[in-house]
Amino acid sequence: MVNYRGFSSHSKNSSIYFRRYSSPSSITYYIVILFALSIFIFTFYSKDVLEDEDRKPPSITSGEKNSKIEQLRDDVLWEAPFSHGLRPCVKPSSRYKATQGWDHYMTVRSNGGLNQMRAGIADMVAVAHIMNATLVIPQLDKRSFWQDTSIFSDIFDEVHFIMTLQTDVRIVKELPKELESAPRARKHFSSWSGVSYYEEMAHLWKDYQVIHVAKSDSRLANNDLPFDIQRLRCRALYHALRFSPAIENLGKKLVERLRSRAERYIALHLRYEKDMLSFTGCTHGLTEAEAEELRVMRHNTNHWKIKNINATEQRIGGLCPLTPKEVGIFLQALGYPPSTLIYIAAGEIYGGSVHLSELTSRFPNIVYKEALASKGELQAFSHHASQSAALDYIISIESDVFIPSHSGNMARAVEGHRRFLGHRKTITPDRKGLVAIYDMLESGVLKEGSSSLSHLVMKLHRSRQGAPRKREGAPSGIKGRGRFRLEEPFYQNPFPECMCGANIQDDEDT
């Protein structure tokens, strides 16, 4: 074996010795050895180079690029906004004390539709706590537009309601027999009132054992309430007011059936119903006969105070529900494909298939609960608008995306619940901004399906997809009690009181 290190240490004489005694044959021998060694080294390193080449990521094909772009687009369309780790949080503080209320009773008549009643009942739980009263299971509205004869236990799980709140408020199913004929203080509590107001109302207990509350909606302020009262409202609405087993079970089945049709679905609260259009005075896109029909209905409905409405001003102000056509254009501009599964959470659409076709022509994969459930399954809910609305509520809460076409009680309630559950994606159309865009479409400045239209719509709604934000107060410059009416409703956005995260404590005392 050649000793290379030895060559390097030889003297000048050693080099002469090597040259002197090397024969031609030995030189040939060394050349052959060096050549063989070169071949070996080349082969060895070539193998490493080839292995390195094999380890390099393969080149991305155009198909794979398209797949990645498609995935990115899907994420934008369907993924919930970043929630900063916020989670539901309704634990009371260490200062919180439950209400006893053994001698004082409060009876309540809840007014309005399903979601108006739900919010009102949650508020009355808080009011009963503030006034140290025993709450009697509320009576539900049977005289409103919906004409629903349901009692509390038809819609809600009564036992669950009582048990869930037993450490907060004493709740009974009915007044004690000896108090049924006792005189009652009948009160219309002032709207958006704070704790001090109800503490003052407690003087009524000096003369009465029973207080009857004639209306439950908007009786409690949105803001400036104690931490524990706000969290009690959330416990009442999101934990205690669970729907009845019959409603819960069918609602879950309908969600499963939607999931069997498509991996993801949109719940669209399409508020294009006769009563809403008549109440708001919105007639854009309707015939003269339809507009007149809505005007007559508004004038004949006694409890609707405003009779003469300028439809154009309503629309420009963003006060009208989107039409089916406008909803279709809106969804297209956001990037949803025509195959998107859309569940319509609403009553009968005004004008039926004539107006609805302007949406279905763009998105044909549209379903109602009547197409998901059998007649037998829905029979128990027929002629009970609030029970039927509860099914829509469940499906809307569980949807991948919720989009309301108008900001009514249902829209606000679902948005707030989805925020509470982790800020699930909820796209609230900027109706005032969209009117200007739709007018450009009608005038030919923009074209339906164009990238310019998509850019404008997406830019307008970049921050309207349910991401966490604090509840908004009244617009600046508004003074007096009137500002309370213009505040963002507590149940539309229960942040920050009912949410916890990495930088938000579970308890205000810790």
Side-chain angles (χ1 to χ4, degrees):
M1 187 174 180
V2 179
N3 187 345
Y4 293 99
R5 189 169 55 183
F7 278 107
S8 63
S9 63
H10 282 338
S11 64
K12 184 179 180 180
N13 290 335
S14 298
S15 298
I16 295 171
Y17 177 83
F18 178 78
R19 288 195 298 269
R20 183 181 299 170
Y21 289 97
S22 297
S23 65
S25 60
S26 62
I27 293 173
T28 303
Y29 174 76
Y30 282 114
I31 291 172
V32 171
I33 291 296
L34 289 172
F35 181 78
L37 185 59
S38 299
I39 294 296
F40 173 79
I41 292 171
F42 176 80
T43 304
F44 182 82
Y45 282 105
S46 295
K47 177 176 177 290
D48 287 347
V49 170
L50 289 171
E51 288 178 348
D52 286 343
E53 289 294 322
D54 290 339
R55 283 194 292 268
K56 288 181 181 178
S59 59
I60 300 175
T61 65
S62 60
E64 289 170 329
K65 285 182 180 178
N66 291 338
S67 178
K68 289 182 180 294
I69 293 172
E70 189 71 26
Q71 182 60 51
L72 182 62
R73 188 175 70 174
D74 278 358
D75 290 345
V76 171
L77 290 176
W78 298 101
E79 291 301 313
F82 187 62
S83 66
H84 302 279
L86 293 171
R87 66 187 189 280
C89 195
V90 294
K91 178 184 175 183
S93 74
S94 58
R95 295 197 300 268
Y96 181 76
K97 294 180 181 179
T99 298
Q100 298 302 317
W102 297 108
D103 299 324
H104 308 142
Y105 291 84
M106 182 178 291
T107 61
V108 175
R109 191 184 77 83
S110 298
N111 59 300
L114 174 70
N115 293 290
Q116 193 172 344
M117 289 192 294
R118 288 177 70 248
I121 292 168
D123 277 359
M124 286 300 106
V125 168
V127 169
H129 177 89
I130 295 168
M131 295 185 66
N132 196 33
T134 293
L135 179 67
V136 180
I137 288 290
Q139 305 165 11
L140 303 188
D141 193 340
K142 296 178 175 60
R143 296 180 294 179
S144 66
F145 174 84
W146 292 271
Q147 297 289 309
D148 192 332
T149 60
S150 300
I151 61 174
F152 189 94
S153 58
D154 291 330
I155 300 176
F156 305 108
D157 188 331
E158 190 172 76
V159 173
H160 178 80
F161 179 70
I162 294 171
M163 296 300 294
T164 302
L165 295 170
Q166 63 182 340
T167 58
D168 298 297
V169 178
R170 181 170 176 253
I171 302 175
V172 296
K173 293 186 178 182
E174 54 189 19
L175 276 174
K177 294 290 184 183
E178 62 272 19
L179 291 178
E180 287 181 353
S181 57
R184 305 180 189 185
R186 299 181 182 274
K187 290 295 298 180
H188 283 265
F189 288 138
S190 295
S191 300
W192 299 290
S193 296
V195 170
S196 60
Y197 171 85
Y198 287 106
E199 288 175 341
E200 184 181 338
M201 287 295 103
H203 77 272
L204 292 168
W205 297 130
K206 294 178 182 179
D207 300 315
Y208 301 94
Q209 270 189 278
V210 182
I211 296 175
H212 177 68
V213 183
K215 286 187 175 184
S216 64
D217 66 322
S218 305
R219 300 303 112 180
L220 202 56
N222 292 303
N223 303 309
D224 302 321
L225 293 178
F227 169 89
D228 279 319
I229 295 301
Q230 298 288 56
R231 285 204 167 176
L232 174 55
R233 296 169 88 178
C234 288
R235 288 198 295 279
L237 187 64
Y238 301 128
H239 289 184
L241 275 174
R242 186 169 69 187
F243 292 121
S244 69
I247 293 173
E248 286 282 340
N249 292 337
L250 182 55
K252 290 176 182 177
K253 286 181 181 178
L254 299 186
V255 171
E256 289 172 0
R257 290 169 191 174
L258 279 166
R259 297 279 182 216
S260 69
R261 294 189 178 204
E263 182 182 354
R264 293 172 291 203
Y265 71 92
I266 292 173
L268 172 63
H269 188 224
L270 187 60
R271 209 55 179 93
Y272 202 72
E273 298 148 325
K274 186 176 182 180
D275 67 304
M276 174 54 69
L277 295 175
S278 177
F279 177 76
T280 57
C282 296
T283 59
H284 181 76
L286 300 179
T287 65
E288 289 185 8
E290 288 171 329
E292 177 61 17
E293 182 183 24
L294 296 177
R295 188 194 66 79
V296 170
M297 178 182 180
R298 184 168 63 256
H299 278 265
N300 291 341
T301 305
N302 294 329
H303 61 275
W304 290 352
K305 304 302 181 185
I306 301 175
K307 303 300 182 181
N308 298 314
I309 300 175
N310 186 308
T312 302
E313 290 180 0
Q314 285 287 94
R315 180 172 178 269
I316 292 173
L319 302 175
C320 291
L322 298 180
T323 69
K325 178 181 179 180
E326 290 171 340
V327 170
I329 295 171
F330 176 65
L331 293 174
Q332 277 183 337
L334 288 175
Y336 289 98
S339 59
T340 301
L341 178 61
I342 300 174
Y343 176 81
I344 301 292
E348 184 177 351
I349 301 303
Y350 185 60
S353 59
V354 174
H355 292 306
L356 190 61
S357 64
E358 294 181 311
L359 172 60
T360 55
S361 63
R362 294 168 174 85
F363 291 89
N365 198 10
I366 284 178
V367 294
Y368 291 83
K369 56 180 166 289
E370 288 78 10
L372 292 173
S374 66
K375 288 184 178 180
E377 288 174 318
L378 292 176
Q379 186 174 3
F381 305 99
S382 60
H383 308 299
H384 295 287
S386 293
Q387 294 183 49
S388 182
L391 294 173
D392 285 337
Y393 186 91
I394 292 171
I395 295 170
S396 296
I397 291 295
E398 295 299 323
S399 66
D400 298 276
V401 178
F402 174 69
I403 301 176
S405 68
H406 192 260
S407 56
N409 290 317
M410 168 81 165
R412 291 193 290 267
V414 172
E415 179 184 351
H417 202 159
R418 288 171 69 86
R419 287 180 176 277
F420 178 76
L421 293 174
H423 292 86
R424 297 175 179 179
K425 189 159 190 168
T426 302
I427 305 175
T428 52
D430 183 341
R431 298 190 305 278
K432 188 173 182 178
L434 284 172
V435 166
I437 293 175
Y438 292 144
D439 285 347
M440 284 192 284
L441 276 173
E442 291 187 5
S443 65
V445 175
L446 285 174
K447 290 186 178 180
E448 188 174 338
S450 67
S451 58
S452 299
L453 173 63
S454 293
H455 174 74
L456 286 173
V457 171
M458 287 191 283
K459 183 179 179 181
L460 190 63
H461 294 85
R462 194 170 294 155
S463 60
R464 301 177 67 92
Q465 305 199 23
R469 59 172 175 78
K470 287 189 176 181
R471 196 165 52 255
E472 297 174 354
S476 59
I478 306 296
K479 297 181 179 180
R481 288 191 58 83
R483 71 185 186 278
F484 299 138
R485 182 185 297 272
L486 301 176
E487 292 176 339
E488 183 177 18
F490 175 78
Y491 296 119
Q492 184 176 356
N493 184 9
F495 179 78
E497 297 95 337
C498 298
M499 306 296 292
C500 290
N503 300 316
I504 302 176
Q505 294 295 333
D506 214 24
D507 184 317
E508 67 171 1
D509 294 337
T510 58

